[in-house]
Amino acid sequence: MKINVETGKIENVKTDAAILPVFEDEKPGRIAERVDKALGGTIQKLIKRGDFKPKVGTAALIYPEGKIAAERLILAGLGKRADVTLDRLRQAAGKAAPYARMSGARNFAFVTDGFGLDPQESAQALTEGSVLGLYRFLKYKTDEENDRKKEVEEITFLTEAASLVRTMQKGVSTGEVIAGATVMARDMVNHPSADMTPTVIAGIARDIAKKHKLRLQVLEKKQMQRLGMGALLGVASGSAQPPKFIILEYRGGGKKPFIALVGKTVTFDSGGISLKPPENMDRMKDDMSGGAAVLGAIRNAAALRLPLNVVGLLPATENMPGGSAYKPGDVLTTLSGQTIEIISTDAEGRLILSDALAYACTYKPAVIVDIATLTGSCRVALGQEATGMLGTDEKLKQKMREAGEKAGERVWEMPLWEGYYDLIKSDIADMKNTGGRDGGVITAAALLSKFVQKYPWVHLDIAATAWTDKDRPYTPKGAAGIGVRLLTQFLRDFKS
Ligand code: BES
Ligand code: MN
Ligand code: ZN
């Protein structure tokens, strides 16, 4: 897909569809007014009659029939002017772009003047919204009649201010990079687990490393044994797929300390011997969403040449039952030396993360961020509207909150108070891997906190946000690619 920035008046642009943003609480703005005049008042009529209410994420189609140069005019609702945010631009574009495609357009021109927001950031948000809203996963559709051929090929963001073009182009290229990495993460998560094994993910990491000249190390089972990654090996023991421990380093920050990003990469979570119920078990192919987010963020750090050193750590394995599988009652010795009694083999994420977090500490990192589809209880607490956040460092949590607001991937904090640690005390080992139903998000994070030493650390529970059950403005049903934009924004704003 080609994305351009051009100057000109929308009335004169020859395009399959002109997209015109409209605010809810005011008469059509300056540009819309001109267009409306050219059309003989159709826009006003639509709004007055109540046939089009310009709330965020609504759209209406008008055939201009030669009165302006475009084949179609699409009105994109933006809500109240006072409430306009970058994320609302993303949402408006995310709705209007697939609406244009559905109506038959193969290209469209988007009016970008008059939002009252930073023009570079606006261009970035509109690019992200368009690309992510147009996303589809058609890899396994063989039907000749499918929509694959009907893709939008070209997008033009239009401004009447020639002086803004260069600035907007910068926003567009940033948006293209970030949306591209998000699409990669969505694709990885949407793939069936049979085709997205630890080995395949290591290959994807290798491709990223090659493209951006990054250092990649993939530890095999033998090396894990030598190092003593007993938790990762325990979880992997029931699977026929060999586990991988993927280490991807981006060095753009000279002698600065590393930022460590750790992503849970369980390519399928059956629950193991503590087998999950069959209902929705197919969804458990998304249990590698944390790893996909980390790969996306590292790819972005490299593509955007951020002045940072970042290491991505992906403990990758399946969680399967079998004759050699680990069992409830077993005690695993982790890389850190601490022991964990297994109560449920379905609480596997915290186990593989305990080894990865201990490994992260060997970098003496500035901060450690882990991201994981860790607990169903996070969904009970927050639903699909926010990612759960817990951590040990106030400044770090604040930075993550701000990144979330900006990226449109919000996080919400939950407490890590002392009392919760009582729930994971074990009679025979240093701790146990579940703390019962109470505060499940928190007891999982409490266990993780025992493996980060004194390094500033934040944990992101994306169990509910990695996958969306309904179409959202720029996130169609399925894998959301969650975390890529959040972590990328966090890195872009990071000051060591
Ligand atoms: N991968 C799951 C968490 C999950 C559940 C993600 C639902 C997405 C949707 C995780 O490994 C898990 O099974 N957690 C258990 C922990 C329990 C056994 C303490 C859970 O949340 O039920
Ligand atoms: Mn599990
Ligand atoms: Zn899991």
Side-chain angles (χ1 to χ4, degrees):
M1 193 185 332
K2 233 180 129 245
I3 308 183
N4 320 303
V5 178
E6 279 170 22
T7 97
K9 293 205 155 101
I10 189 69
E11 297 94 307
N12 307 329
V13 179
K14 274 211 162 71
T15 174
D16 285 358
I19 298 181
L20 184 63
V22 183
F23 284 106
E24 184 183 340
D25 51 346
E26 56 186 23
K27 287 196 193 123
R30 196 168 51 83
I31 298 175
E33 206 173 355
R34 260 183 10 228
V35 175
D36 198 27
K37 216 175 236 168
L39 295 179
T42 317
I43 301 178
Q44 277 289 14
K45 222 178 283 166
L46 265 174
I47 295 174
K48 254 196 204 131
R49 287 191 181 164
D51 291 356
F52 175 58
K53 296 191 188 73
K55 301 218 178 295
V56 203
T58 54
L61 176 65
I62 294 171
Y63 287 109
E65 295 180 330
K67 289 173 190 147
I68 62 174
E71 295 276 340
R72 302 168 184 80
L73 175 65
I74 291 169
L75 306 180
L78 254 185
K80 293 207 165 62
R81 174 173 280 279
D83 298 338
V84 69
T85 57
L86 290 172
D87 200 55
R88 289 201 161 190
L89 293 191
R90 238 180 245 121
Q91 294 177 32
K95 270 293 199 192
Y99 190 83
R101 176 177 62 196
M102 192 183 61
S103 69
R106 296 294 157 265
N107 54 70
F108 60 78
F110 205 112
V111 174
T112 66
D113 293 314
F115 301 134
L117 296 169
D118 177 82
Q120 182 173 335
E121 290 185 329
S122 300
Q124 184 194 326
L126 291 171
T127 303
E128 291 173 0
S130 304
V131 174
L132 296 176
L134 288 168
Y135 176 81
R136 294 191 280 198
F137 186 69
L138 300 171
K139 177 89 199 301
Y140 295 85
K141 294 266 190 200
T142 61
D143 184 355
E144 280 294 308
E145 292 299 298
N146 77 35
D147 290 342
R148 194 189 291 268
K149 291 174 222 127
K150 299 187 201 143
E151 290 300 346
V152 169
E153 284 146 14
E154 193 171 359
I155 300 176
T156 303
F157 291 116
L158 198 69
T159 174
E160 297 188 3
S163 60
L164 288 183
V165 171
R166 300 248 343 236
T167 310
M168 285 177 56
Q169 266 161 351
K170 271 192 223 156
V172 167
S173 12
T174 306
E176 280 187 292
V177 167
I178 293 174
T182 309
V183 164
M184 174 193 82
R186 285 183 181 175
D187 278 346
M188 287 175 70
V189 177
N190 279 325
H191 268 89
S193 67
D195 293 340
M196 196 49 61
T197 60
T199 307
V200 171
I201 293 178
I204 293 171
R206 182 149 285 129
D207 292 343
I208 295 171
K210 222 175 247 163
K211 169 124 198 268
H212 296 284
K213 303 198 173 59
L214 310 181
R215 179 159 178 266
L216 174 78
Q217 239 184 309
V218 179
L219 305 186
E220 306 289 336
K221 205 164 160 181
K222 274 247 168 63
Q223 292 157 292
M224 295 173 203
Q225 280 162 341
R226 212 173 303 135
L227 288 169
M229 293 184 160
L232 176 55
L233 286 165
V235 173
S237 60
S239 171
Q241 289 294 335
K244 307 276 169 181
F245 189 82
I246 301 164
I247 306 161
L248 184 60
E249 286 177 10
Y250 163 67
R251 289 170 187 259
K255 294 209 152 53
K256 286 182 194 166
F258 272 92
I259 295 168
L261 304 180
V262 177
K264 173 178 173 182
T265 312
V266 172
T267 57
F268 187 73
D269 182 9
S270 70
I273 296 297
S274 314
L275 195 63
K276 285 184 180 296
E279 197 191 350
N280 293 332
M281 207 206 270
D282 55 299
R283 269 278 314 284
M284 284 301 123
K285 66 177 183 179
D286 85 351
D287 216 18
M288 32 61 72
S289 297
V294 168
L295 287 186
I298 302 253
R299 186 178 124 160
N300 284 340
L304 299 172
R305 295 182 206 286
L306 300 183
L308 303 168
N309 294 324
V310 191
V311 57
L313 301 164
L314 280 69
T317 180
E318 283 184 334
N319 184 25
M320 297 290 280
S324 58
Y326 79 133
K327 302 177 288 296
D330 287 356
V331 174
L332 303 180
T333 302
T334 65
L335 177 61
S336 73
Q338 297 176 86
T339 56
I340 307 178
E341 181 190 6
I342 305 307
I343 303 302
S344 167
T345 63
D346 196 13
E348 85 296 341
R350 63 200 77 182
L351 298 173
I352 66 171
L353 288 174
S354 73
D355 280 346
L357 291 170
Y359 195 91
C361 291
T362 66
Y363 279 82
K364 299 193 170 58
V367 300
I368 304 176
V369 179
D370 81 73
I371 179 162
T373 45
L374 206 61
T375 66
S377 118
C378 192
R379 178 161 185 170
V380 175
L382 297 173
Q384 292 194 307
E385 300 304 316
T387 289
M389 174 172 77
L390 303 96
T392 50
D393 188 86
E394 293 307 319
K395 254 174 59 195
L396 179 56
K397 284 185 282 191
Q398 185 53 28
K399 284 181 190 168
M400 197 56 77
R401 245 189 301 269
E402 286 164 13
E405 285 299 328
K406 206 156 178 196
E409 295 191 343
R410 285 192 288 215
V411 302
W412 195 259
E413 188 180 0
M414 279 179 276
L416 252 188
W417 294 318
E418 257 171 56
Y420 292 107
Y421 286 81
D422 294 342
L423 300 173
I424 53 168
K425 282 190 175 141
S426 161
D427 291 336
I428 66 160
D430 296 338
M431 64 199 93
K432 57 183 181 180
N433 81 329
T434 68
R437 279 174 59 88
D438 287 3
V441 197
I442 301 174
T443 50
L447 184 143
L448 298 181
S449 74
K450 295 190 172 269
F451 297 88
V452 296
Q453 299 179 16
K454 288 281 167 258
Y455 297 103
W457 159 75
V458 69
H459 158 65
L460 301 166
D461 193 329
I462 54 168
T465 46
W467 189 271
T468 173
D469 291 335
K470 59 168 196 199
D471 285 334
R472 289 163 190 270
Y474 53 87
T475 311
K477 210 157 75 178
I482 200 84
V484 175
R485 287 180 306 113
L486 172 65
L487 293 177
T488 303
Q489 191 62 49
F490 172 78
L491 293 177
R492 290 179 77 201
D493 294 340
F494 193 86
K495 307 230 165 30
S496 41

